[in-house]
């Protein structure tokens, strides 16, 4: 069977097994975030285009060529969100979230859209879980955010990610670095890829994280931002690393971390995992103290977003998978169909997952189905059993079949469900 209409390139179906994994990670991440005081915010999937153009930056790859931008029926330019930070800060300013007191800590989860060249680990619709701490400019906020990310990997037993950090300076110190970098790039421009040649004028910092081998080679001796930091940015960065050391969070200082979004200043970081291959960043983020002012407000902030497909790929799932239903209720005669549905519902009300036949199939076909679904306990009932108030319980693991009174079966199922919930 093949569908004659297929999903759009770069957009994929997430089948139940993968959805189960994403859900599992999300549930654990939500609990983890809450322990640090982060609460969920649900943000729109579509925003006015200007929001992203102003915050992410007109000359970034995202804004220049990766956004899904449309006109709505009123001729307004709208964009499917390529990321969540711009919306989070907009929502903070618009909804007066400042009144939550202290640092506003929010997280979001959902699909993002970028018109990138699809490849393994890179999709046009992908899922992020991200969090933002808005309203706190101090270095300990940075350290806590990075610590939280590191502890999430620990919680998920992912032990081979590396956290790379850098400082991107601020409006004071970055211009002199940029000037030196442009001079350097111009002197080596013949050795750069064609894309980077253009970037010298538009977005020179991005040249630093170009993955094309000739550029990596050409940039070996380029100036680095860390050498140009002003005293305040130096003190900030030193305090971040001091706190990370104190928290025993492993990290590496990597001057090539420049990030593809223009709103960053000071601390920028990425978590990478070599097992992911070419698209090795599983999470990334940084500080964005000037972003709110681009949107008409004023608040420092820092956060990160995790690529959920990538994270799911590096979690070791061992034997964790969707479990088969607990019971199959088979009816041996037509008269038992509705009573079978009733028993199924009763068991569901106790919290069990139950399958039953909805297609008037033979008992043999029903048992085959149960087997295919890997259901270990099958209840069989027919006219005779109904008359006598009993049922047959087949246990595929123990390879037994016993006859039980209906009341006995129901009571023991109810008791087991109570004790498995710990309130027996
Ligand atoms: P970003 O680096 O653009 O940052 O994306 C964060 C993560 O999303 C990446 O490290 C990657 O795991 C995942 N990701 C990005 N693009 C794709 C794609 N096309 N397919 C699959 N996964 C992808 C941001 O989005 C910032 N908003 C992060 C942030 C939050 N900064 C501060 N707060």
């Amino acid at each position: 069977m093949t569908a004659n209409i297929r999903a759009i390139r770069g957009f994929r179906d997430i089948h139940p097994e993968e959805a189960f994994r994403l859900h599992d990670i999300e549930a654990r991440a939500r609990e983890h975030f809450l322990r640090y005081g982060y609460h969920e915010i649900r943000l729109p999937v579509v925003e006015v285009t200007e929001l992203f153009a102003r915050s992410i930056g007109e000359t970034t790859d995202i804004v220049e060529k990766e956004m899904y931008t449309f006109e709505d029926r009123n001729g307004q330019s709208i964009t499917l969100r390529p990321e969540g930070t711009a919306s989070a800060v907009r929502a903070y300013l618009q909804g007066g979230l400042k009144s939550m007191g202290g640092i506003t800590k929010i997280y979001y989860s959902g699909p993002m859209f970028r018109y990138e060249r699809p490849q393994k680990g890179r999709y046009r619709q992908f899922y992020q879980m991200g969090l933002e701490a808005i309203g706190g400019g101090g270095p300990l906020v940075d350290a806590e955010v990075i610590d939280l990310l590191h502890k999430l990997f620990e919680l998920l037993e992912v032990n081979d990610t590396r956290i790379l950090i850098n400082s991107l300076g601020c409006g004071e110190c970055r211009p002199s670095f940029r000037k030196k970098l442009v001079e350097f790039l111009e002197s080596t421009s013949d050795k750069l890829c064609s894309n980077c040649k253009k970037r010298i004028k538009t977005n020179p910092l991005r040249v630093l994280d170009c993955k094309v081998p000739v550029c990596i080679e050409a940039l070996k001796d380029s100036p680095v931002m860390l050498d140009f930091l002003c005293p305040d940015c130096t003190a900030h960065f030193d305090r971040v690393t001091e706190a990370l050391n104190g928290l025993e969070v492993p990290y590496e200082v990597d001057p090539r971390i420049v990030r593809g979004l223009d709103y960053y200043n000071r601390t920028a970081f990425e978590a990478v995992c070599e097992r992911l291959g070419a698209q090795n960043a599983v999470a990334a983020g940084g500080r964005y103290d000037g972003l709110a002012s681009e949107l008409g407000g004023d608040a420092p902030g820092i956060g990160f977003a995790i690529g959920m497909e990538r994270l799911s790929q590096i979690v070791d799932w061992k034997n964790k998978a969707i479990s088969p239903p607990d019971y199959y209720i088979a009816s041996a005669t037509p008269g038992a169909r509705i009573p079978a549905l009733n028993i199924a519902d009763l068991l569901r009300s106790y919290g069990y997952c139950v399958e039953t036949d909805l297609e008037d199939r033979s008992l043999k076909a029903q048992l085959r189905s149960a087997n295919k679904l890997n259901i270990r306990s099958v209840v069989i009932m027919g006219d005779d059993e109904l008359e006598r108030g009993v049922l047959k319980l087949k246990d595929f693991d123990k390879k037994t079949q016993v006859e039980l009174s209906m009341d006995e079966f129901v009571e023991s199922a109810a008791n087991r469900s109570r004790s498995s919930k710990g309130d027996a």
Side-chain angles (χ1 to χ4, degrees), residues 75-125:
Q76 183 175 31
S77 179
I78 58 173
T79 294
L80 294 183
R81 62 178 183 194
E83 59 108 47
T85 310
S87 302
V89 174
R90 178 202 49 68
Y92 170 86
L93 297 174
Q94 181 179 341
L97 293 181
K98 201 176 183 170
S99 60
M100 281 165 78
I103 298 170
T104 299
K105 294 176 162 184
I106 47 180
Y107 75 85
Y108 46 87
S109 175
M112 306 292 161
F113 304 85
R114 294 185 195 174
Y115 194 83
E116 293 192 82
R117 199 169 52 77
Q119 64 181 78
K120 189 169 171 288
R122 191 160 74 188
Y123 313 106
R124 289 180 172 172
Q125 175 176 334

Side-chain angles (χ1 to χ4, degrees), residues 187-200:
S187 71
T188 46
S189 73
D190 53 326
K191 296 190 194 124
L192 300 175
C193 74
S194 57
N195 221 347
C196 283
K197 280 193 183 108
K198 278 185 245 147
R199 282 181 179 144
I200 299 178

Side-chain angles (χ1 to χ4, degrees), residues 328-329 331 337 341 355-362 366:
Y328 191 96
I329 316 296
S331 34
R337 300 271 174 211
L341 296 181
E355 274 291 334
T356 184
D357 175 54
L358 303 174
E359 292 170 290
D360 285 340
R361 289 174 310 164
S362 69
Q366 293 177 60

Side-chain angles (χ1 to χ4, degrees), residues 78-381:
I78 58 173
T79 294
L80 294 183
R81 62 178 183 194
E83 59 108 47
T85 310
S87 302
V89 174
R90 178 202 49 68
Y92 170 86
L93 297 174
Q94 181 179 341
L97 293 181
K98 201 176 183 170
S99 60
M100 281 165 78
I103 298 170
T104 299
K105 294 176 162 184
I106 47 180
Y107 75 85
Y108 46 87
S109 175
M112 306 292 161
F113 304 85
R114 294 185 195 174
Y115 194 83
E116 293 192 82
R117 199 169 52 77
Q119 64 181 78
K120 189 169 171 288
R122 191 160 74 188
Y123 313 106
R124 289 180 172 172
Q125 175 176 334
F126 59 97
Y127 288 79
Q128 278 189 349
M129 246 185 141
L131 60 76
E132 314 292 347
I134 309 175
L140 293 185
V141 189
D142 309 25
E144 188 186 76
V145 163
I146 297 171
D147 173 50
L148 179 160
L149 179 62
H150 168 68
K151 297 284 188 318
L152 178 66
F153 293 134
E154 279 192 346
L155 191 79
L156 298 172
E157 296 175 48
V158 174
N159 303 317
D160 58 347
T161 49
R162 291 185 299 134
I163 293 180
L164 312 177
I165 70 170
N166 189 20
S167 175
L168 301 178
C170 65
E172 287 282 304
C173 49
R174 205 180 315 167
S176 51
F177 167 63
R178 193 185 147 108
K179 193 163 161 271
K180 270 275 174 313
L181 180 66
V182 170
E183 278 168 24
F184 174 84
L185 295 175
E186 278 168 348
S187 71
T188 46
S189 73
D190 53 326
K191 296 190 194 124
L192 300 175
C193 74
S194 57
N195 221 347
C196 283
K197 280 193 183 108
K198 278 185 245 147
R199 282 181 179 144
I200 299 178
K201 291 246 152 19
T202 56
N203 203 341
L205 255 62
R206 280 317 299 271
V207 178
L208 290 174
D209 80 342
C210 179
K211 306 282 185 296
V212 177
V214 284
C215 294
I216 294 179
E217 179 61 28
L219 286 159
K220 270 203 322 229
D221 301 318
S222 77
V224 295
M225 183 67 229
L226 288 174
D227 294 335
F228 290 79
L229 294 182
C230 63
D232 284 353
C233 287
T234 304
H236 186 100
F237 191 66
D238 287 349
R239 184 82 172 135
V240 173
T241 52
E242 186 190 348
L244 291 176
N245 294 336
L247 287 161
E248 295 184 19
V249 174
Y251 64 89
E252 293 163 39
V253 175
D254 183 342
R256 292 176 63 92
I257 300 294
V258 290
R259 314 285 300 119
L261 305 94
D262 279 355
Y263 49 61
Y264 292 114
N265 67 307
R266 292 195 169 160
T267 314
F269 58 97
E270 282 184 16
V272 297
C273 177
E274 303 316 325
R275 277 187 288 142
L276 287 169
Q279 301 301 317
N280 68 353
V282 58
R287 178 163 279 291
Y288 45 82
D289 297 335
L291 172 52
S293 66
E294 289 296 327
L295 306 178
D298 180 21
I302 181 166
F304 66 76
I306 305 167
M308 294 302 281
E309 292 88 348
R310 297 184 191 178
L311 180 56
S312 167
Q313 216 187 309
I314 57 173
V315 168
D316 179 359
W317 290 98
K318 293 184 192 115
N319 301 321
K320 222 171 179 181
I322 298 178
S323 22
D326 304 300
Y327 287 104
Y328 191 96
I329 316 296
S331 34
T333 56
R337 300 271 174 211
I338 310 269
L341 296 181
N342 275 319
I343 287 280
D345 269 356
L346 187 66
L347 291 173
R348 288 178 188 129
S349 75
Y350 296 146
Y352 294 102
C353 297
V354 186
E355 274 291 334
T356 184
D357 175 54
L358 303 174
E359 292 170 290
D360 285 340
R361 289 174 310 164
S362 69
L363 180 60
K364 208 166 150 196
Q366 293 177 60
L367 293 178
R368 255 203 315 270
S369 243
N371 199 24
K372 224 170 163 182
L373 292 167
N374 199 20
I375 302 178
R376 312 316 295 159
S377 299
V378 180
V379 169
I380 304 172
M381 44 203 279

